[in-house]
Amino acid sequence: MYIGCFLGPTGRGPADDLPLIDFCYDMALAADKAGFALVNVGEQHFTGYEPYSSPFMMGAQVARHLERAWFGTTVVNLAYHNPIALAEQANLIDLLTRGKCFIGLSTGHLPFIASQWGVPASYSKDVALQRIDVALRAWAKEPGDKPLAWRTDLEEGVLALRIMPVGYRKEHPVIGFATNTDATISHAGTQGWPVALGRYNLAEAARKTAVYRAALDAAGHPDDVHTQCLALSSVTKAIVIADTDEEAWEIAERQLRGFMNFTYSVATRRTLEDTRSMKELWDDTVDGPVDIANSTFTAPEWIQASAIVGSPETVARQLLEYADAGIEGINARFVYGDFDAAEAWRGFNLFAEKVMPLVDARQIPGPAPERIRPEHLGTGAGHSGLAELFQ
């Protein structure tokens, strides 16, 4: 399997901003050393969740220090980004990671957040797709090409010269969708783009992955693209782990309830009334697929879609059930609910030591030479050698 480490803490207020950003930086480097395939950050604004706000700024901070792991965004919200600026910033991360980055894009948005950016009510998924198209055209423009006139339903401009900096990969950085809709999942497979899926139970995760695999297979992509897409595509799970199942459920009771209540209130604008223990909610079997992104979900649906709880052996067994269902990537989060650095590190370290070997955690290779722009061939996978010239 390919295990990503998702850095999505929630702070209590301004005093937590700097400590949480430092924490995310430290865990990113620890995940790289522990053999995680990706380090993923998100994009949030105004709420205290993911207080670094900018995935590109965070990516620039950690990218130069990642030796093996890819850097990923799950996700960049297209509602907040001019397409030309998006193309520039993605190219910078592509360069800094030597082509080992995945830019996950979201075509949806929360109007009550977007309005604070000045995003008009007329913004829609159609505009998001238009912005992706503009970025793709901008990436394709070479210096000698004629000026590129572009427009969306909300903006327009002319790219007279080129996107600077140039990317590391030919064509464009690895981009894809963070999505919950079958149509967009299928579109990503057809394009040869990875998909970052949300929180589902095993049945729904397997169904959506089957939709993706069918589109990916039908498109006939080259083998390296096909393999990379499956390695970078993932389902997100909170990991609650302890030496025994009983201890893990005690931690889940302390750590997950606030997280559950927060996500429920954001999704439904209501307060969750179910006060049963987390273990009771888990044992309240949900029949059939669960997609908590697109429905008014119940508490049992939430925990069965959002979390994996147990001892190292139990966690590994559940992860391998996803692998058996064709899901090769898990976006694992060790930070959830009220932030507790000691608890996050305890769970992370136990998972890295005990679970990673049990699931055969693997790395994702960088781009093959034929995928790299000619300007960069021969530069190697490492960083610039200029520093050595002045030593």
Side-chain angles (χ1 to χ4, degrees):
M1 298 191 73
Y2 301 92
I3 308 295
C5 180
F6 178 47
L7 303 173
T10 300
R12 296 161 295 184
D16 285 343
D17 288 352
L18 180 56
L20 289 182
I21 291 169
D22 286 345
F23 167 85
C24 288
Y25 174 79
D26 291 342
M27 186 165 277
L29 271 58
D32 179 53
K33 290 181 173 60
F36 283 76
L38 296 93
V39 171
N40 287 307
V41 302
E43 178 178 21
Q44 300 291 336
H45 303 279
F46 315 123
T47 63
Y49 177 40
E50 297 172 1
Y52 45 76
S53 294
S54 169
F56 294 114
M57 291 288 285
M58 197 66 187
Q61 172 70 4
V62 305
R64 300 282 283 183
H65 303 285
L66 299 179
E67 297 294 335
R68 297 184 296 171
W70 283 50
F71 173 79
T73 67
T74 52
V75 293
V76 171
N77 194 315
L78 287 160
Y80 313 142
H81 294 273
N82 172 283
I84 302 300
L86 173 71
E88 285 191 339
Q89 292 173 40
N91 270 7
L92 177 59
I93 299 299
D94 197 43
L95 278 180
L96 293 176
T97 60
R98 300 300 192 264
K100 292 171 66 175
C101 69
F102 164 52
I103 309 299
L105 303 169
S106 171
T107 60
H109 73 298
L110 296 173
F112 78 98
I113 295 292
S115 64
Q116 298 177 70
W117 279 91
V119 176
S122 59
Y123 178 84
S124 66
K125 182 176 180 178
D126 288 340
V127 173
L129 295 175
Q130 291 166 8
R131 285 178 169 173
I132 294 175
D133 182 65
V134 171
L136 290 169
R137 292 164 61 203
W139 278 316
K141 186 182 183 308
E142 296 292 339
D145 295 344
K146 65 180 182 180
L148 170 64
W150 63 270
R151 66 176 298 162
T152 74
D153 290 347
L154 294 183
E155 67 247 308
E156 61 183 291
V158 177
L159 178 62
L161 300 174
R162 68 175 178 94
I163 293 297
M164 186 181 73
V166 68
Y168 190 75
R169 288 175 176 263
K170 293 178 181 178
E171 297 182 345
H172 56 77
V174 178
I175 63 172
F177 288 121
T179 181
N180 299 301
T181 63
D182 286 8
T184 306
I185 290 169
S186 182
H187 178 61
T190 300
Q191 293 292 109
W193 298 349
V195 287
L197 301 175
R199 289 169 289 154
Y200 315 112
N201 68 354
L202 178 59
E204 181 65 4
R207 189 192 68 78
K208 287 186 181 295
T209 299
V211 170
Y212 179 67
R213 280 180 172 269
L216 194 65
D217 292 344
H221 299 294
D223 289 345
D224 65 325
V225 172
H226 190 277
T227 300
Q228 179 178 271
C229 280
L230 292 176
L232 289 168
S233 297
S234 64
V235 173
T236 298
K237 293 290 178 182
I239 304 295
V240 184
I241 186 171
D243 290 329
T244 67
D245 289 348
E246 292 75 18
E247 290 176 279
W249 281 111
E250 290 175 6
I251 295 167
E253 191 62 39
R254 296 195 304 268
Q255 294 291 318
L256 287 183
R257 188 167 298 279
F259 183 31
M260 178 176 69
N261 290 341
F262 170 76
T263 55
Y264 186 86
S265 64
V266 169
T268 67
R269 304 293 190 275
R270 293 195 304 276
T271 301
L272 186 60
E273 303 293 341
D274 199 324
T275 60
R276 286 177 292 171
S277 73
M278 288 290 149
K279 182 63 165 63
E280 289 174 320
L281 297 177
W282 179 271
D283 290 338
D284 186 359
T285 303
V286 176
D287 294 325
V290 172
D291 175 357
I292 66 172
N294 294 326
S295 63
T296 303
F297 51 84
T298 66
E301 288 174 335
W302 183 89
I303 191 169
Q304 293 176 35
S306 299
I308 290 178
V309 181
S311 67
E313 295 75 18
T314 297
V315 168
R317 175 180 54 76
Q318 292 183 59
L319 289 174
L320 290 173
E321 289 175 355
Y322 281 79
D324 290 342
I327 301 155
E328 298 185 16
I330 294 291
N331 195 18
R333 59 186 309 160
F334 301 93
V335 188
Y336 31 73
D338 295 334
F339 178 67
D340 182 334
E343 170 56 29
W345 280 115
R346 186 205 60 76
F348 172 89
N349 288 327
L350 183 58
F351 183 94
E353 178 186 356
K354 297 292 183 65
V355 177
M356 296 280 275
L358 294 177
V359 300
D360 189 21
R362 301 182 178 185
Q363 304 292 141
I364 305 172
E370 60 269 22
R371 301 290 180 191
I372 301 172
R373 287 185 63 100
E375 298 95 329
H376 309 311
L377 289 173
T379 60
H383 302 145
S384 169
L386 291 177
E388 285 78 1
L389 297 178
F390 297 95
Q391 292 179 350

